Amino acid sequence: MQFKVGAKQTMKMLEQNRAIEVYVARDADPQMKEKVVHLCERAGVPFKWFDTKDVLGETCGIDIGAAMAALVPEEE
């Protein structure tokens, strides 16, 4: 599994039905959070909240904060 990090990448993965699970930082932009959570609910994709963008960035293995990320299968 791998992460697609960022709002645009996360929404793209949801629209392409490739997201297995989505991670959202509580301190991300409220409109973006609402939009991604709505897409998750519509697509039936589970989502998990993280307290901060920094914690989510660490979880994804990057040195900066991340507002959201999608867990996707490895690309072949």
Side-chain angles (χ1 to χ4, degrees), residues 36-49:
V36 166
V37 167
H38 177 72
L39 280 173
C40 287
E41 289 171 343
R42 206 171 72 200
V45 174
F47 58 93
K48 187 188 281 186
W49 293 102

Side-chain angles (χ1 to χ4, degrees), residues 5-58:
V5 181
K8 287 182 184 175
Q9 287 290 327
T10 301
M11 285 193 267
K12 186 176 171 183
M13 294 300 105
L14 282 165
E15 289 163 0
Q16 293 177 0
N17 295 317
R18 293 186 56 214
I20 295 167
E21 187 171 38
V22 170
Y23 304 135
V24 185
R26 291 188 190 279
D27 61 348
D29 176 79
Q31 286 182 309
M32 290 305 258
K33 288 190 296 190
E34 189 177 313
K35 192 171 184 178
V36 166
V37 167
H38 177 72
L39 280 173
C40 287
E41 289 171 343
R42 206 171 72 200
V45 174
F47 58 93
K48 187 188 281 186
W49 293 102
F50 281 75
D51 287 334
T52 66
K53 292 184 272 191
D54 290 337
V55 172
L56 180 50
E58 271 181 40

